[in-house]
Amino acid sequence: MFFLLVVFFLLIDKQLIFALINNIVDIDKSKIINKLTIIGMKKALISGITGQDGSFLAEFLLQKGYEVHGILRRSSSFNTGRIEHLYFEEWVRDMKQQRTINLHYGDMTDSSSLIRIIQQIQPDEIYNLAAQSHVKVSFDVPEYTAEADAVGTLRMLEAVRILGLEKKTKIYQASTSELFGLVQEVPQKETTPFYPRSPYGVAKQYGFWITKNYRESYGMFAVNGILFNHESERRGETFVTRKISLAVARIKQGVQDKLYMGNMDSQRDWGYAKDYVECMWMILQHDTPEDFVIATGEMHTVREFCTLAFKEAGIEIRWEGKGVDEKGIDVATGRVLIEVDPKYFRPSEVEQLLGDPTKARTLLGWNPTQTPFPELVKIMVQHDMEKVRKMIANK
Ligand code: NAP
Ligand code: GDD
C-alpha cells in the first residue's frame, strides 16, 4: 500500500496535489504534505514573505528549487503587492519545474497559527523575517513591537520544539545592526557588545538571545543574521532611502515641491536587499550553526544619499545651514528642495552604524560589495522615476 502511494505521488503533478489538498477540508493535510517529502524537494517557510526581504528571499529559494511557503497576516487591504508576480509570472507557473509559493494565514502574535502552519508544512528551513520593522514607529507602538518581534520569535522557536522538529528544522532569525545602537566599537562585528536604542532594538535583542538560547539548550540549528541596513526598489516607503528616491522622482516630474527630512547627519552601512537574502540562505547551509554580521563595510550619511539620488535625476544639490535650518538647494534654479522637519527626529537616535563582514566573507564566501553604494542609489531612483512616470500617464 505504502509503495503504491509513493508511486502515485511520484507520478502525478505536485501542483495538482496541492490544489486538491487546499480544496479538501475533511482530511489530515499534514499527513499528505509529509508524504510529498518523498519527492525530495526542500521546504522553506518564510514569515514576513510580503515584506521587502521576504519577497526577494521567496524568489531566490524558488530559483534554488525549494517548495516555498509563506505566512500571510490578515489585512483589510491587499498586502501581497511584492509577491503577486510569483503567482502570475510564467516561470513560476512552469509546473514541470515544480516552482510555486503557498501562503498560509497566521500572525506572529498568535502561537496557535504558527504551530498549525509548521505542523502542516514540516519545513526544513524557517526564515523568521516577520516584524514590526520600523524603528521610529516602535516608539509609538512599543508593546506591539515587543509582542511581534521579541515574543513572536519565541513563539516560532517554541512551535518547532513543541512539534518535535528540533533536529529537522533549521531556523534563521532576522537580527539587526540596531542591536549595536549606541556603538561600543567601530566597525561592529559579531563580538561587539549590544546597546540598543529603541523599543525595536530592545525587542530584537530578546529575539537574538532567545534564538541563541534555543540553539544552546536544545541543540537546534537556530542562528542569527545580524544584518545592517539593506534597501531596494521594494523598500517600504517610510524608510529613509525609499522616501528619498520616491521624492526625487516626484520632484523631478513636478508632482512634489519639497522633501522634509529628519536627522541628515545619521550614517548607515547600506547594502542591496537582493544580495543580503542570498546570505540568509548561506548562513543556514553553513556546517555549524553560527551568528553572522552582514554588511558592506562602508558608511554614508543621509545627506550623501540625498545628494547622489538627486544627481541621478540630473539635479545638483548645494547644502546651506546647519541642524534644523539646513536646506538642500537646486544649484540650477536656486529652489529649496530639501528641508529639515524635527517631527522626523527620534527620541533616541542611532547616529552611525558600520559593519565588519569579514566572518561572512571568510566562512561563507559571501561578497559584501556585489552592489556598490552608487549602484544601489541608481537602481532605486531609476525604478521610482519609472513608477512616477507611469502614475502620471495613468491619471
Ligand atoms: P518589512 O518590509 O517591514 O517586512 C516585514 C514583514 O513582516 C511584512 O511581511 C509584514 O507583513 C510582516 N509582519 C509584520 N508584523 C507581523 C505579524 N504580527 N505577523 C506576521 N507578519 C508580520 O521588513 P524587511 O525590511 O523586509 O525586513 C525583514 C526582517 O529583517 C524584519 O524582521 C526586520 O526587522 C529585519 N531587518 C531588516 C533590515 C533592513 O535593513 N531591511 C535590517 C536588519 C534586520 P505586512 O506586509 O502585512 O505588513
Ligand atoms: N525613516 C526616516 N525618515 N529616517 C530618517 C529621516 C526620515 O525622514 N530623516 C533622517 N532619517 C534617519 C533616521 O533617523 C535614521 O538614523 C536613518 O535615517 C535611517 O532610518 P530608516 O531608513 O528608518 O532605517 P533604520 O536604520 O532606523 O532602521 C532600518 O534598518 C535597521 C538595521 O539597522 C530598518 O530596516 C530596521 O528594521 C533595521 O533593523
Side-chain angles (χ1 to χ4, degrees):
M1 181 62 190
F2 182 71
F3 176 73
L4 281 176
L5 260 178
V6 172
V7 173
F8 172 73
F9 282 120
L10 286 175
L11 284 180
I12 72 170
D13 190 306
K14 193 150 163 261
Q15 301 313 314
L16 185 64
I17 297 172
F18 268 98
L20 282 172
I21 291 169
N22 284 328
N23 287 314
I24 302 169
V25 283
D26 291 336
I27 56 169
D28 186 344
K29 292 181 184 178
S30 65
K31 281 191 186 144
I32 294 186
I33 290 175
N34 283 347
K35 292 276 187 305
L36 295 180
T37 49
I38 295 163
I39 293 167
M41 198 179 192
K42 264 198 189 176
K43 288 189 271 191
L45 172 65
I46 304 174
S47 75
I49 194 166
T50 56
Q52 170 188 255
D53 292 4
S55 65
F56 282 125
L57 181 64
E59 279 168 17
F60 177 82
L61 294 176
L62 285 170
Q63 302 271 16
K64 284 251 167 240
Y66 277 69
E67 179 183 302
V68 177
H69 297 258
I71 298 178
L72 179 69
R73 66 169 167 164
R74 199 268 159 182
S75 152
S76 66
S77 52
F78 287 114
N79 55 357
T80 49
R82 292 188 181 99
I83 51 171
E84 261 157 22
H85 61 290
L86 297 179
Y87 296 103
F88 299 133
E89 277 182 13
E90 199 58 42
W91 68 270
V92 185
R93 283 190 283 120
D94 178 358
M95 298 306 185
K96 283 193 197 103
Q97 300 197 36
Q98 295 173 326
R99 291 180 289 202
T100 187
I101 58 165
N102 310 270
L103 299 179
H104 310 260
Y105 274 115
D107 201 292
M108 296 307 291
T109 59
D110 181 335
S111 314
S112 57
S113 65
L114 299 181
I115 294 172
R116 174 181 50 77
I117 294 166
I118 295 170
Q119 183 178 33
Q120 225 175 294
I121 298 165
Q122 307 269 313
D124 300 291
E125 296 172 8
I126 294 179
Y127 296 85
N128 186 34
L129 310 185
Q132 191 301 97
S133 72
H134 204 285
V135 173
K136 174 126 196 308
V137 172
S138 78
F139 288 97
D140 301 322
V141 289
E143 196 178 322
Y144 172 72
T145 303
E147 272 296 334
D149 301 10
V151 189
T153 305
L154 172 66
R155 289 187 185 103
M156 190 66 97
L157 290 159
E158 202 40 23
V160 170
R161 200 172 76 85
I162 289 169
L163 294 166
L165 296 172
E166 302 99 312
K167 296 287 177 267
K168 172 184 168 69
T169 306
K170 294 180 177 182
I171 305 178
Y172 171 90
Q173 166 61 12
S175 283
T176 164
S177 48
E178 280 290 306
L179 297 176
F180 299 120
L182 188 63
V183 298
Q184 303 294 296
E185 70 176 327
V186 181
Q188 295 87 54
K189 47 184 184 281
E190 288 79 3
T191 50
T192 304
F194 297 150
Y195 196 136
R197 293 272 281 172
S198 64
Y200 168 80
V202 175
K204 282 285 187 176
Q205 175 145 358
Y206 179 87
F208 175 92
W209 282 111
I210 200 67
T211 300
K212 194 164 169 154
N213 180 255
Y214 270 54
R215 176 166 88 221
E216 292 172 357
S217 305
Y218 306 117
M220 288 165 69
F221 197 112
V223 290
N224 292 282
I226 308 173
L227 271 57
F228 282 62
N229 297 52
H230 44 280
E231 319 294 313
S232 74
E233 63 279 20
R234 293 188 198 165
R235 186 58 144 150
E237 296 179 10
T238 59
F239 295 96
V240 76
T241 56
R242 190 75 199 286
K243 176 173 165 178
I244 296 167
S245 64
L246 270 168
V248 165
R250 293 193 189 114
I251 290 171
K252 176 73 181 178
Q253 295 176 69
V255 288
Q256 182 173 330
D257 291 332
K258 223 177 252 183
L259 168 62
Y260 291 95
M261 299 291 301
N263 182 4
M264 303 293 292
D265 293 316
S266 179
Q267 293 173 288
R268 288 292 182 274
D269 180 329
W270 279 300
Y272 187 35
K274 223 174 181 171
D275 303 337
Y276 283 45
V277 299
E278 181 192 7
C279 208
M280 294 176 184
W281 175 79
M282 286 174 145
I283 290 173
L284 283 194
Q285 313 315 308
H286 189 54
D287 299 341
T288 49
E290 289 183 44
D291 305 324
F292 286 87
V293 157
I294 307 299
T296 69
E298 205 181 296
M299 182 166 72
H300 299 272
T301 62
V302 169
R303 188 180 298 102
E304 276 174 79
F305 196 103
C306 279
T307 306
L308 211 56
F310 275 96
K311 193 168 173 209
E312 187 57 40
I315 300 173
E316 197 188 331
I317 295 291
R318 179 179 80 236
W319 296 96
E320 281 184 9
K322 285 251 171 298
V324 288
D325 296 322
E326 182 166 9
K327 291 182 189 356
I329 298 164
D330 180 349
V331 170
T333 63
R335 259 180 69 201
V336 176
L337 299 184
I338 307 154
E339 282 195 48
V340 173
D341 184 337
K343 88 170 175 200
Y344 295 112
F345 292 162
R346 296 169 181 193
S348 55
E349 175 65 288
V350 171
E351 294 290 347
Q352 57 150 271
L353 290 171
L354 177 65
D356 176 355
T358 305
K359 184 178 173 187
R361 192 198 287 116
T362 317
L363 293 191
L364 303 175
W366 181 68
N367 173 11
T369 51
Q370 286 170 75
T371 311
F373 180 66
E375 179 63 20
L376 170 66
V377 178
K378 186 177 178 172
I379 290 170
M380 294 181 71
V381 173
Q382 287 192 350
H383 173 274
D384 286 338
M385 288 293 281
E386 187 55 26
K387 181 183 163 96
V388 173
R389 203 171 292 129
K390 280 188 190 152
M391 193 194 77
I392 295 168
N394 291 334
K395 255 189 180 171

